Amino acid sequence: MNWKFWEQQKPLKDDRLDSISDGLKQLLAATNGQPFEQLEMQIKENAEMINRLSRLQYKMGQELINKVTPIYDNLGDVTLLCQKGQAATELAIRENSNRMLVSTLIDSIDTIDGVMQNACGDIPDEWRTFLKTIQISELDGLARVGIRELELLGSSFNPIFAEAVEVRAIDQLTGQNKAMRPYEVIEVLRRGFIDGEGKVVRKAQVITLTSSNQL
């Protein structure tokens, strides 16, 4: 072992000496000739000020959290409200689509009824069968969305479900196979429809009966 290790230590470089010298100069300048007791007191005061600032920062942070938390809660309410609004919009779109579908199907059924009534015997049987098949399919489509046809033929006239566009006297009818009664619906000129909740979608247009002395 080489015991003369002190002889092998390299001298400090000039730049390290300059750095140490600058540090000492700054320390001496900061003291301004004050005793070290005053410097110690100043350091303690600075430390206390830092602690107070830290506590103040924490308090301000907690107050900010308390203010921001309700905002986030409200954002959650807004999100829920938006989701409900979106659901309501989707429901309205579906209901509107159903109304358009119902209207289209009923118009088509009316058109086929008109062709069948006005053409009399001019329509070939195969076309008559084809049109009837289309009507059955359209009535099934209405049933899928909760709309069904009012069955009024042979029943007593009810102004809730039908409009009497024509009234005939019973004694005007000849050659009938069954006895007729006043206010009976003897013909449906335009079909009526009702929904699943019992609400009338469209009243039927019918021909009904009355006694001769009531005309």
Side-chain angles (χ1 to χ4, degrees):
M1 180 178 295
N2 190 352
W3 295 99
K4 296 183 179 181
F5 57 86
W6 59 84
E7 293 181 358
Q8 297 179 8
Q9 291 179 348
K10 296 181 180 180
L12 294 175
K13 294 182 179 181
D14 292 340
D15 55 348
R16 294 182 62 188
L17 290 174
D18 293 341
S19 176
I20 295 173
S21 177
D22 292 341
L24 290 174
K25 289 179 181 180
Q26 292 177 4
L27 179 62
L28 291 174
T31 60
N32 291 326
Q34 297 179 2
F36 282 100
E37 291 80 2
Q38 294 182 7
L39 291 175
E40 183 179 5
M41 182 64 66
Q42 187 173 1
I43 292 172
K44 289 182 179 180
E45 290 177 355
N46 291 339
E48 182 63 27
M49 181 178 295
I50 292 172
N51 288 333
R52 287 199 298 269
L53 290 174
S54 298
R55 289 193 295 271
L56 179 61
Q57 183 180 13
Y58 174 78
K59 181 180 179 181
M60 292 175 65
Q62 289 298 115
E63 291 178 352
L64 181 60
I65 291 174
N66 293 335
K67 291 179 179 179
V68 170
T69 300
I71 296 176
Y72 278 105
D73 293 340
N74 291 334
L75 287 176
D77 294 338
V78 171
T79 301
L80 181 60
L81 183 61
C82 290
Q83 292 174 347
K84 291 181 178 180
Q86 182 179 1
T89 301
E90 292 175 353
L91 177 61
I93 292 174
R94 285 197 299 271
E95 290 178 347
N96 186 56
S97 298
N98 285 342
R99 283 194 295 268
M100 293 177 63
L101 173 63
V102 168
S103 178
T104 300
L105 290 175
I106 290 177
D107 288 345
S108 178
I109 291 170
D110 289 343
T111 299
I112 294 175
D113 281 339
V115 171
M116 302 281 278
Q117 291 170 2
N118 296 326
C120 297
D122 296 336
I123 301 178
D125 291 340
E126 58 271 19
W127 276 99
R128 189 179 296 273
T129 301
F130 174 69
L131 293 175
K132 281 292 185 183
T133 302
I134 292 176
Q135 275 193 328
I136 292 173
S137 176
E138 290 170 338
L139 290 170
D140 287 342
L142 289 176
R144 290 192 183 97
V145 293
I147 307 297
R148 60 183 178 85
E149 182 184 357
L150 288 166
E151 300 294 341
L152 301 178
L153 188 63
S155 65
S156 295
F157 173 76
N158 188 334
I160 295 176
F161 301 125
E163 301 172 356
V165 296
E166 185 179 345
V167 178
R168 296 177 184 173
I170 294 177
D171 57 3
Q172 292 177 346
L173 302 177
T174 60
Q176 300 294 331
N177 294 326
K178 69 183 185 70
M180 297 292 184
R181 63 185 185 277
Y183 310 112
E184 181 179 345
V185 175
I186 62 171
E187 187 176 350
V188 176
L189 300 178
R190 191 186 72 171
R191 304 174 193 243
F193 297 92
I194 191 171
D195 65 14
E197 298 178 352
K199 181 181 178 181
V200 176
V201 176
R202 189 184 74 176
K203 287 185 177 183
Q205 292 181 348
V206 301
I207 298 175
T208 187
L209 291 176
T210 186
S211 59
S212 298
N213 58 5
Q214 290 180 323
L215 286 175

